[in-house]
Amino acid sequence: MDDASGPDRLPRGSRLTFSRRTLMAAGGVALGTPALGLAASTVPGSPAAAATGATKKITIYAESLGNNQYGYGLAPGQASIPGPLLEMYEGDTMEITLVNNTTQRLSIHAHGVDYDTASDGAPLNNSFNNPGETRTYIWRSHEMTAAAGRRFMPGSAGYWHYHDHAMGTDHGTAGVLRGLYGGLIVRRRGDILPDKTFTVVFNEMMINNRPTTNTPTFEANLGERVEWVAIGHGNLIHTFHLHAHRWADNRTGMLEGPNDPSIVTDNKDLNPGSSFGFQVIAGEFVGPGAWMYHCHVQQHSDTGMAGIFLVRNADGSMPPAASADIDRFRGHMSKMSTAHGAMDHTK
Amino acid sequence: MDDASGPDRLPRGSRLTFSRRTLMAAGGVALGTPALGLAASTVPGSPAAAATGATKKITIYAESLGNNQYGYGLAPGQASIPGPLLEMYEGDTMEITLVNNTTQRLSIHAHGVDYDTASDGAPLNNSFNNPGETRTYIWRSHEMTAAAGRRFMPGSAGYWHYHDHAMGTDHGTAGVLRGLYGGLIVRRRGDILPDKTFTVVFNEMMINNRPTTNTPTFEANLGERVEWVAIGHGNLIHTFHLHAHRWADNRTGMLEGPNDPSIVTDNKDLNPGSSFGFQVIAGEFVGPGAWMYHCHVQQHSDTGMAGIFLVRNADGSMPPAASADIDRFRGHMSKMSTAHGAMDHTK
Amino acid sequence: MDDASGPDRLPRGSRLTFSRRTLMAAGGVALGTPALGLAASTVPGSPAAAATGATKKITIYAESLGNNQYGYGLAPGQASIPGPLLEMYEGDTMEITLVNNTTQRLSIHAHGVDYDTASDGAPLNNSFNNPGETRTYIWRSHEMTAAAGRRFMPGSAGYWHYHDHAMGTDHGTAGVLRGLYGGLIVRRRGDILPDKTFTVVFNEMMINNRPTTNTPTFEANLGERVEWVAIGHGNLIHTFHLHAHRWADNRTGMLEGPNDPSIVTDNKDLNPGSSFGFQVIAGEFVGPGAWMYHCHVQQHSDTGMAGIFLVRNADGSMPPAASADIDRFRGHMSKMSTAHGAMDHTK
């Protein structure tokens, strides 16, 4: 990214801490300034209302990965599935120059953020890239704005996602199936930043379009603050289950206070077009080890929608039994693969 | 409706505004009066607990619409799919005289409100209309009541729905499939009223039982406060996605305050028997245009579960590109219809 | 259970009442003591962090019930489907000695609570019982802990569940299908206790693995505080609908205060691996009678996923029409059974 203001430019790798005082001040700025009232009183649809943040300009390259797979990348030859995790703060704008280096029509459509029809990413609005074409999409975002009755119209903060909306059909069905998707996080000022973020996509019977024998392993050290962005795609129901860790089913995964009524869960529906996110402290209360995450639809987990969240010791060393556990898991997955035939649905 | 006290009798068409002072006072009345304590201390099940509101008496006519479709209407010959949107405030009672002008057994069953077994609408409780029969169903509602520990048992406010529970099977499967359903809103005193309300029902592979080539177009002017009531029916999973607009996943779709922990979303599960609602400001932060709403299950959107939310300019005029965009959308839908065969699943 | 400190040792059968004063004091203890800060500052994963509660030691026997069904029970010969409802308070530990009296490999895997890899219940972690084997599983729990920004990492309180994770496949697909599951409630100090608790499990096309002609009838007297624990298993979507009663879609089913933004619902997705719970006052605002609960997927309710919540009069006597209503319901279910063939999917 071209710009140093985003959360992705803040120090990672070590646990981020904030004093309570700092966060309260930040919260006060976000909610109590004239800017907020101003936003609420301006004409709806005015881009000015969201103009207080930074503008990030990035270029994304859509490319074929062979094997009938496609990906988005931040540089030529670096396309991946999922595409790069994009992050912004409420109020920021992201200008995405999408370079279509494929022979297919495609686009980029975002959930959660603000865009004109020209940046919708939908063929309906003539918003797509023909083969070889470059096109700029602009995503804006905004903080909550005051409404009547002490209520607020919601801001843009959330665990969102982006995906193709034009390859194969006018809903991008081929593009999504083949890997054109990624995570998009809009943070509120004062949100706690994680040490690392994992993006996990349940897409038909695949996780991140990987074959059963090679589902993603997500690694962290004991005590690291780990953020998960979960995205659902395709046509099937899925439920995302994580062993030994749990989160509040709300915007951040944490409780906003002792009276926050949110349900705490470790198993959540992840159906097509949906996304959610949360943060956990790796291994907190349970220790290091090889912990499974999987779809809890029995047939789906049995046929390979399962992977490992490897929580290493605090110093990064391998927990004693974990290597054997992972071997056992991989042997099991491989056996299933043989029994059920090739599970790589991407072919 | 026979009664002037309900929200449907309040001025529409122009944006409704409330001073903060008025709303706070209203909130005080709802939550701080002796009536509330009284309700909590009376015998459970006593109709007296909900007797402080108004009583509305309406007549609903169930009719055949031809083509094996059925609808509810507020006058003979006016049946529609969905049926009329019904609204009440917490504490109100609705007396519905249901006239069955069809040759089928049918009923009306409501979600969310209070009713005796005689008004359940379920054949189990002998609560239905035989062909040609007229029967009265009484729906009551109530405000939240105090429970131990500073908690409250919830009131009736919500984005609910009503539907047949007796045609075809004892669960009304034929009646629901053929169009006997509608939206029901119970408002809390002080809730913000919208300029207009749309009811959108995902019923098997149809939206409001309309054929693919003629899915509903919902229209509003830039800046209008638009309320959506989304209802799921049938046997399939659906996810409701709205382009360029988003809402808080809570009772109102707005944040109750800066610490409201609710997730903000633009894609929500809409499975059988479920309903939810929210308000958006049409085109806010994104401008006017032809915005899609659709089921995000790829196969469903590809085969026609998609429609247009047309946000006109603030003065009601057509945004420059929108007509062409809609033509393009309709051409696409028509092409799909040819490719996939007739999509009118109602036949 | 061996220990007198848990909620299951508190008096049931009569309505439990708390003074507001008592509950506030309890809440203060839970959230304001040094113990909480201590937990937050200890090393993550340390069992000491959860050591302030009681330890319960129970033995569970996994047994064949014949007819290819299996159950968990608290004593030999007492296995049931669902298994026994397990309850604890945040901070408590449960030591479960699982005796496998079957000829199959099996385990017990819990949602929501804390456990080492040895107590995961997953074959991946070598955590299961071979036929005839006895093994101890330890589940810990914790209160919420402070995080930055006045937030809290969530505690363990919730309506959870446990199930086999080793019979048939490494995900326990055969064990779950055949009945090895049950409810697990972790309560927060100060939570309101119910008069009775029902566990209802939507497992493939069955309710609690019962045949269509014999779905569970749940009984309560008018005014009793009834708790429902709903659990989903298998491969299908389900939506749990309860007639004439509704709840807040949050941790307790009640509103935490007048500004609690939670949606109030009577129809909620209950997909594989999910669980939720709530409390209602039986018959409140609606009176006694035979009220249906059912899956709202039309095909599922039509083919037998429906049962009766019988609300008797306050003195326990039968409401006048209820016997006839139940006979009518059973006749209907029996007819369906004939039409659709045997519905006992457990064979």
Side-chain angles (χ1 to χ4, degrees), chain A residues 23 237 239 241 243-244 246 255-256 258 261 263-264 266-267 269 285-286 290-291 296 298-299 302 325 328 332, chain C residues 45 109 111-112 114-115 120 124-126 140 149 151-152 160 169-170 173 234-235 237 250-251 271-274:
Chain A
L23 279 161
I237 64 157
T239 53
H241 175 47
H243 280 224
R246 75 305 311 159
L255 300 176
E256 288 294 313
I263 289 174
V264 177
D266 65 6
N267 194 85
D269 292 350
F285 298 114
V286 300
W291 299 110
H296 214 296
Q298 296 292 142
Q299 224 165 47
D302 281 345
D325 293 342
R328 196 178 302 114
H332 159 69
Chain C
H109 166 73
H111 284 241
D114 307 326
Y115 44 80
D120 186 14
L124 148 74
N125 279 317
N126 250 340
R140 297 180 303 270
R151 293 210 174 86
F152 292 84
W160 305 104
T169 78
D170 281 0
T173 299
N235 297 286
I237 64 157
N250 62 14
R251 185 181 70 83
N271 293 327
S274 295

Side-chain angles (χ1 to χ4, degrees), chain B residues 182-202:
Chain B
L184 168 63
I185 303 177
V186 181
R187 302 191 189 276
R188 195 182 291 177
R189 314 253 163 214
D191 278 355
I192 301 175
L193 296 183
D195 294 322
K196 50 177 66 177
T197 301
F198 305 137
T199 305
V200 55
V201 184
F202 284 7

Side-chain angles (χ1 to χ4, degrees), chain A residues 12-41:
Chain A
R12 295 293 181 87
S14 65
R15 181 82 164 277
L16 293 165
T17 52
F18 296 88
S19 75
R20 179 166 300 192
R21 185 188 189 102
T22 311
L23 279 161
M24 286 174 70
V29 170
L31 299 168
T33 57
L36 183 72
L38 201 62
S41 66

Side-chain angles (χ1 to χ4, degrees), chain C residues 148-159:
Chain C
R150 292 172 297 174
R151 293 210 174 86
F152 292 84
M153 300 304 287
S156 305
Y159 288 99

Side-chain angles (χ1 to χ4, degrees), chain A residues 15 17-20 23-24 27 150 188 190-192 222-223 225 237-239 241-248 251-269 271 279-292 294-302 305-306 308 321 324-326 328-329 332-333 335-336, chain C residues 31 39-40 43-47 49-50 109-118 120 122-126 140 142-161 163 165 169-174 176 188 204 232-237 249-252 254 256 259-262 268-276:
Chain A
R15 181 82 164 277
T17 52
F18 296 88
S19 75
R20 179 166 300 192
L23 279 161
M24 286 174 70
R150 292 173 298 174
R188 195 182 291 177
D191 277 355
I192 301 175
L222 182 70
R225 179 173 284 272
I237 64 157
H238 296 298
T239 53
H241 175 47
L242 178 59
H243 280 224
H245 298 76
R246 75 305 311 159
W247 64 92
R251 184 181 70 84
T252 64
M254 288 168 271
L255 300 176
E256 288 294 313
N259 293 320
D260 184 331
S262 301
I263 289 174
V264 177
T265 190
D266 65 6
N267 194 85
K268 179 164 166 152
D269 292 350
N271 292 326
Q279 296 178 3
V280 298
I281 307 301
E284 190 180 38
F285 298 114
V286 300
W291 299 110
M292 247 194 297
H294 61 86
C295 181
H296 214 296
V297 175
Q298 296 292 142
Q299 224 165 47
H300 296 187
S301 52
D302 281 345
M305 293 194 74
I308 297 292
D325 293 342
I326 292 175
R328 196 178 302 114
F329 175 74
H332 159 69
M333 298 291 272
K335 199 174 56 188
M336 287 191 318
Chain C
L31 298 168
V43 178
S46 161
H109 166 73
H111 284 241
V113 292
D114 307 326
Y115 44 80
D116 301 330
T117 51
D120 186 14
L124 148 74
N125 279 317
N126 250 340
R140 297 180 303 270
H142 62 273
E143 295 177 345
M144 64 177 78
T145 56
R150 292 172 297 174
R151 293 210 174 86
F152 292 84
M153 300 304 287
S156 305
Y159 288 99
W160 305 104
H161 59 118
H163 62 85
H165 209 302
T169 78
D170 281 0
H171 291 274
T173 299
V176 168
R188 195 182 290 177
E204 299 294 13
H233 271 306
N235 297 286
L236 307 173
I237 64 157
D249 186 16
N250 62 14
R251 185 181 70 83
T252 63
M254 288 166 272
E256 288 293 313
N259 293 320
D260 183 331
S262 302
K268 180 165 166 151
D269 291 351
L270 188 55
N271 293 327
S274 295
S275 59
F276 61 87

Side-chain angles (χ1 to χ4, degrees), chain C:
Chain C
M1 308 205 180
D2 302 344
D3 175 301
S5 68
D8 45 328
R9 286 289 82 93
L10 286 164
R12 296 292 181 87
S14 65
R15 180 83 164 276
L16 292 164
T17 53
F18 296 87
S19 74
R20 180 167 299 192
R21 185 189 188 101
T22 312
L23 279 161
M24 287 174 69
V29 169
L31 298 168
T33 56
L36 184 72
L38 202 62
S41 65
T42 52
V43 178
S46 161
T52 55
T55 296
K56 298 183 178 196
K57 300 184 182 188
I58 61 175
T59 302
I60 292 185
Y61 301 82
E63 302 182 324
S64 166
L65 294 166
N67 197 24
N68 208 13
Q69 299 287 288
Y70 292 83
Y72 297 112
L74 291 173
Q78 296 189 4
S80 59
I81 303 177
L85 177 69
L86 303 180
E87 298 179 62
M88 57 202 293
Y89 275 110
E90 284 185 333
D92 289 352
T93 295
M94 199 172 276
E95 286 189 27
I96 295 172
T97 300
L98 178 64
V99 180
N100 181 1
N101 282 337
T102 80
T103 59
Q104 307 287 316
R105 183 183 79 166
L106 53 78
S107 74
I108 189 163
H109 166 73
H111 284 241
V113 292
D114 307 326
Y115 44 80
D116 301 330
T117 51
S119 293
D120 186 14
L124 148 74
N125 279 317
N126 250 340
S127 173
F128 60 87
N129 298 48
N130 279 313
E133 195 182 0
T134 293
R135 181 187 181 96
T136 297
Y137 298 80
I138 300 178
W139 301 342
R140 297 180 303 270
S141 64
H142 62 273
E143 295 177 345
M144 64 177 78
T145 56
R150 292 172 297 174
R151 293 210 174 86
F152 292 84
M153 300 304 287
S156 305
Y159 288 99
W160 305 104
H161 59 118
Y162 62 87
H163 62 85
D164 171 55
H165 209 302
M167 187 188 287
T169 78
D170 281 0
H171 291 274
T173 299
V176 168
L177 178 66
R178 295 167 180 177
L180 289 173
Y181 53 72
L184 167 64
I185 303 177
V186 182
R187 301 190 191 276
R188 195 182 290 177
R189 315 254 163 214
D191 278 355
I192 301 175
L193 296 182
D195 295 322
K196 50 177 66 176
T197 301
F198 305 137
T199 305
V200 56
V201 184
F202 283 6
N203 186 19
E204 299 294 13
M205 295 292 283
M206 304 170 290
I207 302 175
N208 294 4
N209 278 40
R210 303 276 282 272
T212 300
T213 48
N214 190 26
T215 55
T217 298
F218 298 110
E219 300 197 19
N221 295 343
L222 182 70
E224 283 190 304
R225 179 173 284 273
V226 170
E227 182 173 63
W228 294 75
V229 181
I231 301 166
H233 271 306
N235 297 286
L236 307 173
I237 64 157
H238 296 297
T239 53
F240 175 85
H241 176 47
L242 178 58
H243 280 224
H245 299 76
R246 78 301 314 160
W247 64 92
D249 186 16
N250 62 14
R251 185 181 70 83
T252 63
M254 288 166 272
L255 300 176
E256 288 293 313
N259 293 320
D260 183 331
S262 302
I263 289 174
V264 177
T265 190
D266 64 5
N267 194 85
K268 180 165 166 151
D269 291 351
L270 188 55
N271 293 327
S274 295
S275 59
F276 61 87
F278 58 88
Q279 296 178 2
V280 299
I281 307 301
E284 191 181 37
F285 298 114
V286 299
W291 298 110
M292 246 194 298
Y293 68 89
H294 60 87
C295 180
H296 213 296
V297 175
Q298 295 292 141
Q299 223 165 49
H300 296 187
S301 51
D302 281 346
T303 51
M305 293 194 73
I308 297 291
F309 174 31
L310 172 59
V311 179
R312 293 173 172 271
N313 296 319
D315 63 3
S317 62
M318 199 70 169
S323 294
D325 293 342
I326 292 174
D327 288 348
R328 196 177 303 114
F329 175 75
R330 288 294 163 206
H332 158 69
M333 298 289 274
S334 174
K335 200 173 55 188
M336 287 190 318
S337 180
T338 309
H340 294 275
M343 279 300 301
D344 190 343
H345 291 259
T346 63
K347 288 167 191 170

